[in-house]
Amino acid sequence: MMQNMTITEFLAQHLQGEHSAALTAMLSDIAHAVKQIAVVIDAGAIAGNMGSLATESVQGVNVHGEVQKTLDVLTNDIFVEAIQKSGYVAGMVSEEVVDPIKSMVKNGQYLLCFDPLDGSSNVNVNISVGTIFSVLKAPNSQPELADFLQAGTEQICGGYALYGTSTMLVFTTGDGVNGFTLDKKTNTFLLTHPQMQIPQNTTEFAINMSNYRFWQEPVQRYVDECLQGTEGERDKDFNMRWVASMVAEVHRILVRGGIFMYPSDAKARMGKLRLMYEANPMSFIVEQAGGGSSTGLQRVLEVSPTGIHQRVPIMLGSKNEIDRIASYHQKKSKRK
Ligand code: AHG
Ligand code: MN
Ligand code: MN
């Protein structure tokens, strides 16, 4: 039987170009962080790694006014410490911290934006969660907030870890998307999903349907047509999924196609998801796997950031469906 390549072998053989040494080191640090996070998530209630810190600590509410789970804080701390190890990171932005985090590294050349625990509302009900990260070049070794405000097209790496039925690490450095599964016997990531590709067509969509009445007309139209199935415009039946963990949804889409939407709506004008550490890295991955990612009106990767925690409407996945939804938005904006 052929042995799966380890992540260390993969990085040594496949990364090329000016960032290869730095990316090899940083991705090794990230893989190390992910292994540690997988352990604390696995321990769950046994280690008391659940619930809210709201009454125990000033850290109990994050910058979005959301109550942090114990694991939000723990995973943030694990990530921050691990990714500085190899000495490349000049500064960090985390979903869980208001301001950019200063690095201990002297001459760091890269910026890391991350969501240490995505889908954290799923922790207490034992449903898959994840970690999302994005790597940018640092304009200088002591970055200010403005240095982080780079469009997604500037990313040199985007990735996620999925703590699901198995723990996986999936990333792109701009040369396709590769997925690694953690072999818990040897504590090693093995290449199990080389060159992942999203099918262009799909009959599966993911959206929080409870927001239907708040959506704009193009999103309502798209979903209405899916629901009409063989009796409507699309002339085929659709299936729906909603895990409420973006990482799990994007992973499903990478494996079998589909689309995921968190659009703007009358309640949340800019949608819910954060540009710098959710939408951008996921869009980079999805485009690298042959899919599309749009706000409805423009490519997510081309949005000019104005804040490190800003939100953005997002629809991503199978290319032909994303093009269709974008065309519905464009028709609407032309009519205006
Ligand atoms: P986080 O736990 O980092 O705040 O992100 C959760 C996000 C995303 O993972 C998921 O797709 C979405 O929130 C779910 O939102 P609803 O609860 O509105 O369905
Ligand atoms: Mn998140
Ligand atoms: Mn989070």
Side-chain angles (χ1 to χ4, degrees):
M1 206 179 79
M2 272 268 288
Q3 285 285 321
N4 291 79
M5 187 184 280
T6 67
I7 194 167
T8 312
E9 290 164 347
F10 176 89
L11 292 171
Q13 288 175 29
H14 288 261
L15 292 194
Q16 280 162 5
E18 60 167 317
H19 305 298
S20 60
L23 281 174
T24 299
M26 288 188 288
L27 282 163
S28 304
D29 286 347
I30 288 168
H32 192 63
V34 168
K35 288 180 200 172
Q36 292 179 63
I37 292 173
V39 170
V40 296
I41 287 173
D42 267 2
I46 299 169
N49 290 340
M50 296 180 135
S52 157
L53 285 182
T55 53
E56 297 159 28
S57 151
V58 287
Q59 265 190 299
V61 174
N62 73 11
V63 291
H64 310 288
E66 300 156 343
V67 176
Q68 284 177 296
K69 303 291 182 290
T70 309
L71 275 176
D72 282 318
V73 179
L74 272 175
T75 54
N76 179 72
D77 296 350
I78 290 171
F79 212 76
V80 168
E81 192 185 327
I83 62 181
Q84 295 179 65
K85 281 260 157 61
S86 57
Y88 283 97
V89 177
M92 294 153 277
V93 157
S94 165
E95 179 186 289
E96 301 304 330
V97 183
V98 184
D99 298 312
I101 304 166
K102 294 218 180 320
S103 171
M104 311 290 278
V105 175
K106 273 231 169 62
N107 291 307
Q109 296 146 43
Y110 296 87
L111 305 176
L112 251 131
C113 301
F114 57 92
D115 175 358
L117 190 63
D118 178 66
S120 54
S121 69
N122 281 329
V123 164
N124 287 3
V125 288
N126 205 348
I127 291 174
S128 300
V129 289
T131 298
I132 313 173
F133 58 91
S134 162
V135 182
L136 296 161
K137 189 91 184 66
N140 61 72
S141 61
Q142 294 191 322
E144 303 288 327
L145 188 146
D147 296 323
F148 287 87
L149 303 180
Q150 304 179 36
T153 47
E154 300 302 309
Q155 292 172 104
I156 60 164
C157 177
Y160 64 80
L162 172 61
Y163 313 100
T165 46
S166 47
T167 294
M168 287 196 67
L169 179 59
V170 175
F171 62 83
T172 182
T173 56
D175 182 24
V177 180
N178 291 284
F180 300 80
T181 303
L182 182 61
D183 176 0
K184 289 192 176 162
K185 290 199 290 286
T186 57
N187 208 27
T188 313
F189 277 106
L190 301 176
L191 179 63
T192 48
H193 296 61
Q195 288 297 329
M196 299 175 88
Q197 279 289 322
I198 299 174
Q200 303 275 295
N201 295 308
T202 184
T203 51
E204 194 162 73
F205 67 99
I207 193 164
N208 184 338
M209 281 294 292
S210 68
N211 291 326
Y212 181 94
R213 73 182 192 281
F214 303 112
W215 298 336
Q216 292 173 344
E217 191 264 329
V219 176
Q220 285 183 339
R221 174 183 168 191
Y222 177 80
V223 172
D224 285 345
E225 288 175 358
C226 292
L227 297 179
Q228 283 152 12
T230 51
E231 288 161 35
E233 165 102 354
R234 302 299 305 271
D235 204 19
K236 55 184 178 184
D237 288 330
F238 283 76
N239 187 24
M240 201 204 86
R241 287 286 183 271
W242 188 249
V243 186
S245 275
M246 187 196 201
V247 173
E249 321 267 12
V250 169
H251 190 71
R252 183 185 62 246
I253 289 167
L254 278 167
V255 171
R256 70 176 189 207
I259 65 156
F260 166 89
M261 293 176 274
Y262 218 117
S264 69
D265 63 41
K267 273 191 307 183
R269 288 256 164 237
M270 295 314 290
K272 178 179 183 189
L273 298 175
R274 277 56 62 116
L275 177 64
M276 302 303 293
Y277 40 77
E278 291 177 322
N280 271 343
M282 290 311 206
S283 300
F284 191 16
I285 291 169
V286 164
E287 285 198 4
Q288 281 291 316
S293 180
S294 171
T295 65
L297 294 173
Q298 73 178 128
R299 212 173 144 214
V300 169
L301 292 179
E302 289 176 358
V303 172
S304 293
T306 52
I308 55 175
H309 296 293
Q310 87 184 71
R311 297 172 196 266
V312 71
I314 186 166
M315 2 216 130
L316 59 75
S318 292
K319 185 84 175 64
N320 290 341
E321 294 299 303
I322 299 303
D323 288 350
R324 175 182 282 266
I325 302 167
S327 79
Y328 291 2
H329 280 81
Q330 271 134 29
K331 276 185 201 128
K332 172 91 188 308
S333 73
K334 271 196 200 119
R335 275 210 301 275
K336 268 194 207 153

